[in-house]
Amino acid sequence: MQLEIVKYGHPVLRKKGQPVAGVTPALARLAEDMIETMQAGHGVGLAAQQVGRAVQLMVVDVRGVTDRPSSIELGGQEARVDDFMPMVLFNPAWKAAAAPVDCMEGCLSFPDIFAEIRRAARIDVEALDIRGQRLSFRCGGLIARVIQHEFDHLQGILFIDRMMWEDKDELRPQLEALRESTQAELAQRAVAKR
Ligand code: ZN
């Protein structure tokens, strides 16, 4: 089932996600719905906060992107990225395994807003997969960037918090307009519910 993507200005985007004790059928179902929602939105990643749930869960699928390569290593062995897609990560954690690089980024909660963000080029990741099994791998390129971006969402951190000051200043009118339209819509819905 496709879910509604929450836009900037919605308070849930600032909530830290609760860790999951285990992957229940309901959580696995949420992950499946998030994959469907991400793919419909042509996104490469989605965090639970973006569908209104403050849970430590992200989904990733980089198969649609051909001009920005991704790599995955398992136990020092190069693996096929496509074999891991779509990827579901519960309770993810990561550590940098290479220096940071600057690259353009967008976000499904910020339509038409893009900026260069500095993130580690390669990272080591640990998480639980959709069956609740422990997953541990090293990744680089686009997928490493996506996982760091979604990990931030799970902490209530947004990519605007990591933009260069000049970029954010330039985008401020667009950001303000988006925040205001989201909040106006939320207020309207609250009235409609009464
Ligand atoms: Zn995002």
Side-chain angles (χ1 to χ4, degrees):
M1 186 179 68
Q2 220 171 295
L3 306 169
E4 188 189 351
I5 295 179
V6 162
K7 301 291 190 309
Y8 174 54
H10 194 299
V12 73
L13 290 177
R14 287 303 188 183
K15 277 200 184 151
K16 192 176 156 80
Q18 284 292 324
V20 307
V23 181
T24 59
L27 284 169
R29 175 71 196 276
L30 173 62
E32 298 285 359
D33 288 345
M34 283 171 57
I35 289 169
E36 199 181 324
T37 305
M38 165 182 64
Q39 289 171 342
H42 305 288
V44 286
L46 194 66
Q49 276 84 343
Q50 292 179 278
V51 294
R53 300 281 303 271
V55 178
Q56 292 285 324
L57 160 63
M58 69 165 83
V59 297
V60 176
D61 193 343
V62 294
R63 280 175 297 185
V65 182
T66 50
D67 58 340
R68 288 167 76 178
S70 294
S71 65
I72 293 183
E73 272 175 55
L74 278 181
Q77 288 285 99
E78 189 88 10
R80 258 174 54 96
V81 173
D82 286 10
D83 292 347
F84 293 83
M85 300 295 123
M87 186 180 257
V88 174
L89 303 178
F90 285 98
N91 299 348
W94 67 269
K95 264 193 255 161
V101 286
D102 292 330
C103 212
M104 276 308 232
E105 242 177 75
C107 178
L108 288 173
S109 295
F110 293 80
D112 305 318
I113 293 174
F114 301 91
E116 211 159 68
I117 308 288
R118 179 163 295 183
R119 298 199 191 269
R122 203 175 312 126
I123 58 173
D124 291 321
V125 181
E126 281 197 22
L128 298 179
D129 69 10
I130 196 163
R131 292 162 303 161
Q133 313 252 350
R134 188 153 285 288
L135 193 61
S136 172
F137 60 93
R138 174 168 287 188
C139 63
L142 178 63
I143 188 171
R145 174 166 293 272
V146 174
I147 290 173
Q148 290 170 77
H149 176 113
E150 305 312 332
F151 179 88
D152 274 352
H153 273 298
L154 303 184
Q155 322 310 315
I157 298 168
L158 302 171
F159 82 142
I160 53 171
D161 305 337
R162 298 197 185 278
M163 279 179 192
M164 278 183 287
W165 183 85
E166 306 90 279
D167 289 346
K168 194 172 174 185
D169 204 43
E170 204 170 301
L171 289 166
R172 203 171 296 277
Q174 269 167 276
L175 291 170
E176 280 305 296
L178 176 58
R179 194 171 58 81
E180 278 168 23
S181 86
T182 301
Q183 286 175 349
E185 202 181 316
L186 287 175
Q188 213 168 33
R189 284 191 201 178
V191 170
K193 254 193 214 160
R194 259 192 241 143

